Amino acid sequence: MILHPGIIALVIGSIILLVMLLFSAFLGLLIIVRWDMESSSAYQLSLERKTYLISSVMSFVLSFEVLSIFLFIYTVDDLHRQFVGAMCATGSLNANPVGWYLLYLKIFLFFLSALWIGINHVDQRTEGFPLVRLKYTLLIIMAPLVAAEVYLMLRYFLNLNPDIITSCCGALFSGEGQGLASSLSSLPARPMEYALFLTAGLYILICIVSLRVRKSLFRYLVGLMSTVFFIVSIMAVVSFISLYFYELPTHHCPFDILQGFYHYVGYPLYGSLFGASVLGMLVGVLEILGHRFRDNTEIEHYQRTWTFFSLILTGIFLLITIYPMVFSSFTLEGY
Amino acid sequence: MRKHLKILEYALSSLWRRKFKSLGIIAVFSLIIFTLSSILLLTYAFKREAMEVLRGAPELIVQRISAGRHEMIPSWYGKRIQEIPGVGMVIPRYWGYYYDPSTGGNYTVMAAAGRGDRKLEMLSGKYPPAGGEVVVGKGVAESRFLSEGSRIPIKGSDGQVRNFIVAGIFTDESSLLTNDLIIMSLMDFRDVFKTGNERATDLVVQVFNPDEVENVARKIREIFPDTRPITRKEILRTYDTLFDWRSGMVLTMFGGALLAFIILAWDKAAGLSAEERHEIGILKAIGWETSDIMELRFWEGFVTSSVSFLTGLIGGYLHIFFFGASIFAPALKGWSVIFPSFRLLPYLNPYQVVVLMFLTVIPYMAATIFPSWKAAITDPDVVMRG
C-alpha cells in the first residue's frame, strides 16, 4: 500500500459516499415496495418526505462520483513515478491490472450517475413524481456497482507494490502487440480521421435538426448518435488525436495528454467529450421516458437546452482536436 | 435562478443572525483545513525541493558494498568502469561525516577534488580551499560563529586535532544540501580520515546516453559483483515515495481530529434550538416547500464550508510559504541538529485543492445532510404549537 494523499482522499471519500448510497438504496427499496401515489396515509407521506432526503443525498453522492473519476486519473498519473518502467497512468494501472477494471467501472458509473442526476432534475420539477420507481430501481442497481467500485479500489491500492516492474504506454499502445489497446492503436489514422469527422458532423447535424424540427425521431437519434460519437471519439483519441499532441507518429497513449508537459490538455478534451455525450444520451433517455409525463412542454424545454449544450461541448472537443492538426508542424501524411 | 439567489440571500442573513454559532463552526473547520492543507502543501514543496536538488545529481553513482555495508571503493574500479562503451568520465568522490561534539551537529565533510563543477554561490572567500584551509556551509558557520579567517578544529581518526582556517563560506541554490557541508582539499581529507591513497567514497559515472544508464549499471554489477550502482531515477523514486508516505502518515494521524470535527458538525446541525424550529415552522407556513428548506440548509453548509475552506487554505499557504512551516516542519523534514532555515517556493495546484476537498468538505456535507433533512420535514403546526 502506498500512503499517498490522493489515495487517502479517494478511499475515505468513496467509503463515505458508499455508506450514504447504501442508506439511500435501502430507503429506495422501501419506496419502490410501498409507494402508492393515490394513498393519503401517514406512511405514504413519510415516504414522500424521504424522497427529499434521497434526492439530496444522491445529487451530492453522484456529483462527487463524477468528480472522483478525474481525481482517480490524476492520482494514478501522479503515482507513475514510483514504478520502474512507468511513464504515465498506463504504467500505474499495469502495476496492478485490477486498476483497468476499476477505470472501466468508473467510466460506466460516471455515465450512470450523470444520467441519474439529469433524470432526477427533471422529475423533481414536474408534478406527481412520474419517475420515482424508475429512479429508485436505478439506484438499487447502482448501489452494488459502487460497492464493487470501492472494493476494486481497495484491492488496487492495497496491492500496489512499488517494486513491480511495469510496462509503459509505449509498449501497450503500440501497433504490434495483442489485445484491445494495440488494436485501437493500429487503427489506420486517415480512415479514423474521416470516421471521427463524419460522426461528429452527423451528430451536429442531427442536434441542429432536432432543435428545429420537433419530432421525437430526431431526439432518439441524438441519444443514439451521442453514444456512437463517444465510442468513435475514444477510438480516435488513441488512433490519431494523441499523435498530434505528442508530435510522434508512434505514441498512442490516451493518458500522457493528461500530464503537465502537454499543458493538461487531456482534461478539457475528455471533459468536453464526456459532457457532450452524457447530455446527448440524456436527451434520448428522456424521449424514451416521455410518455410517463402528463405535460411534455417542460420535458421538451429540457431536451432543447441539453441538446444545445451538447452541441457547444462537441464544438469545444472538435476545436481542441483540430487545433494541433492545423497549427502544429506535425503531419501524418506518410502514415 | 432568481429564486435560488433569494434563498442564498436568506441563508446568508440567517447565518449572520446566529453569528456565534456559525463562527464557532467556521473557526473549528478552518483550523482542521489549515492543518491538513499545511501538511499537503509542505510535502509537495519538499518534493519539489528534492527534485530541484536532484536534477543536478549525477546520473549514476557506484558504491562498494562489503558485508552488506557501504565501503570505500578502490580507485582502480573506476579505470575498469571507464572501459565500458558509452561511459564518459568516472570521477571518484571523497566524502564522509564528522560529529562535532561542541555543537552536537553532524557535518558532511567533502574533498574539493570530487565535487565536480557544480555551481557554488559564494558568500565570501575563495574556492577551492588550499591545504590547511576549509570552506564551510552557512549552517556550519552560524552554529560555530565562524567568519572568514577564523579557525575550526577538526579531530582526525588518529585522535589528533587539526586546526583549519576558514577560507570561505558558501551557500548553494538549495541550502538543503550545502548547509552542513565542510569542504577541504583531498590531501587534508585523506589525512583527517586516514582513508589511504587509493580509495574513494564512491564513484560518479558519466553516461552519454541517458537511455543507457540502466544497461551500464547492469554491466558494472556484472564486472564488480561487490558494487551497488545507484541511478538518479531510483533516488527520485525513493524520495517521491518517502514524502508521499510521510504526508500520508501525518494525514492519517489527523484523521482522528477530522472525525471529532464531523461529530461536532453533526451535533450542531442536529441540535436545533426552539427558535430555529420556530423559524422553519413559520417559513413552511408562509409557503416554503420542504425542498426549499433543504436548499436553504444546503446554502448554509455551502457558505460555511467555502468560507472555512478558503480561510484554512490561505492560512496553510501563508504558514508554509511565509512563516517557514514552523509547526509541522519537524515532523516532515527529517531529523538533524543543524538544519537550514529556508523559504520554500510557493506552489499550489488544483490537484491539492481537490484532494483537500475530498478530505474535508465531503465528510462535512455528509454529516449535515441528514440532520438538515430532519429539520426540513417538520410540520409547521407541530412547531408553532410549541
Side-chain angles (χ1 to χ4, degrees), chain A residues 3-6 8-9 16 20 23 49-50 52-53 56-57 60 64 68 71 74-75 78 81-84, chain B residues 40 44 237 240-241 244-245 247-248 251 290-291 294 349 351 354-355 358-359 362-363 365-366 369 373 377 379:
Chain A
L3 264 181
H4 184 280
I8 297 178
I16 293 177
M20 293 173 80
F23 175 69
R49 283 178 173 164
K50 288 204 172 79
Y52 289 111
L53 177 62
S56 317
V57 168
F60 169 69
F64 274 102
S68 85
L71 183 67
Y74 195 103
T75 305
D78 198 54
R81 268 171 287 153
Q82 305 186 356
F83 298 102
V84 182
Chain B
L40 268 185
Y44 263 81
R237 196 156 51 233
D240 219 48
T241 319
D244 278 349
W245 182 79
S247 71
L251 281 182
T290 306
S291 57
M294 296 275 304
N349 70 6
Y351 178 61
V354 175
V355 165
F358 259 70
L359 282 173
I362 290 193
M365 297 289 258
I369 271 190
W373 170 74
I377 57 164
D379 277 327

Side-chain angles (χ1 to χ4, degrees), chain B residues 20-322:
Chain B
F20 292 108
K21 186 179 171 184
S22 324
L23 277 181
I25 286 274
I26 289 178
V28 180
F29 200 10
S30 307
L31 197 67
I32 296 271
I33 291 167
F34 167 78
T35 316
L36 296 181
S37 67
S38 300
I39 297 168
L40 268 185
L41 290 174
L42 186 61
T43 38
Y44 263 81
F46 274 145
K47 241 198 225 177
R48 278 167 61 92
E49 186 90 351
M51 298 296 147
E52 200 54 45
V53 167
L54 290 168
R55 189 167 303 172
E59 281 276 3
L60 185 60
I61 297 169
V62 180
Q63 291 181 341
R64 186 171 161 228
I65 299 292
S66 164
R69 296 184 63 91
H70 177 207
E71 260 277 308
M72 301 295 271
I73 190 165
S75 311
W76 63 269
Y77 275 41
K79 295 198 183 74
R80 179 71 190 83
I81 289 171
Q82 207 153 16
E83 288 164 16
I84 298 172
V87 172
M89 276 194 298
V90 177
I91 306 161
R93 292 198 306 185
Y94 308 88
W95 56 272
Y97 297 117
Y98 173 72
Y99 174 71
D100 183 32
S102 64
T103 54
N106 247 322
Y107 301 146
T108 307
V109 183
M110 245 185 162
R115 267 194 64 82
D117 48 359
R118 287 198 55 205
K119 275 182 295 177
L120 290 170
E121 190 189 313
M122 301 300 294
L123 275 189
S124 61
K126 60 166 188 146
Y127 183 85
E133 287 177 348
V134 289
V135 177
V136 297
K138 213 172 135 204
V140 180
E142 273 164 13
S143 75
R144 300 209 48 145
F145 309 108
L146 298 174
S147 59
E148 213 184 316
S150 47
R151 285 171 181 276
I152 173 170
I154 291 177
K155 197 169 158 187
S157 335
D158 53 3
Q160 297 211 328
V161 176
R162 295 157 178 79
N163 269 310
F164 288 96
I165 297 167
V166 176
I169 298 168
F170 61 77
T171 162
D172 206 333
E173 63 258 67
S174 170
S175 53
L176 270 175
L177 275 193
T178 52
N179 210 47
D180 64 343
L181 199 60
I182 297 177
I183 294 186
M184 52 178 66
S185 71
L186 182 55
M187 290 288 288
D188 287 334
F189 183 87
R190 284 180 174 150
D191 181 45
V192 169
F193 292 104
K194 300 286 177 228
T195 57
N197 281 347
E198 286 302 312
R199 287 151 85 81
T201 309
D202 51 24
L203 302 173
V204 170
V205 179
Q206 184 196 12
V207 181
F208 291 126
N209 182 351
D211 293 337
E212 288 289 318
V213 174
E214 297 286 336
N215 274 332
V216 171
R218 189 173 48 78
K219 280 183 185 160
I220 293 173
R221 249 194 312 267
E222 278 166 14
I223 301 169
F224 300 114
D226 61 340
T227 56
R228 174 171 64 181
I230 302 167
T231 63
R232 185 173 63 195
K233 267 195 192 143
E234 273 172 2
I235 303 179
L236 282 173
R237 196 156 51 233
T238 313
Y239 267 95
D240 219 48
T241 319
L242 179 72
F243 280 121
D244 278 349
W245 182 79
R246 276 188 182 168
S247 71
M249 271 312 275
V250 181
L251 281 182
T252 318
M253 275 171 7
F254 277 98
L258 191 64
L259 203 65
F261 167 72
I262 291 165
I263 294 171
L264 175 81
W266 177 291
D267 191 54
K268 282 271 178 193
L272 286 184
S273 64
E275 198 183 333
E276 284 167 282
R277 284 182 176 281
H278 205 72
E279 184 187 326
I280 291 171
I282 291 173
L283 286 177
K284 288 192 101 172
I286 59 171
W288 284 47
E289 301 254 346
T290 306
S291 57
D292 296 331
I293 309 260
M294 296 275 304
E295 193 180 331
L296 169 68
R297 290 283 154 165
F298 164 77
W299 280 123
E300 282 182 7
F302 181 81
V303 171
T304 312
S305 43
S306 9
V307 168
S308 321
F309 193 79
L310 286 177
T311 320
L313 190 61
I314 294 171
Y317 190 88
L318 292 178
H319 167 222
I320 299 302
F321 298 118
F322 293 92

Side-chain angles (χ1 to χ4, degrees), chain B residues 341-368:
Chain B
S341 66
F342 52 89
R343 185 160 284 187
L344 294 156
L345 282 176
Y347 173 70
L348 180 72
N349 70 6
Y351 178 61
Q352 296 165 317
V353 178
V354 175
V355 165
L356 205 57
M357 225 169 73
F358 259 70
L359 282 173
T360 54
V361 178
I362 290 193
Y364 175 74
M365 297 289 258
T368 48

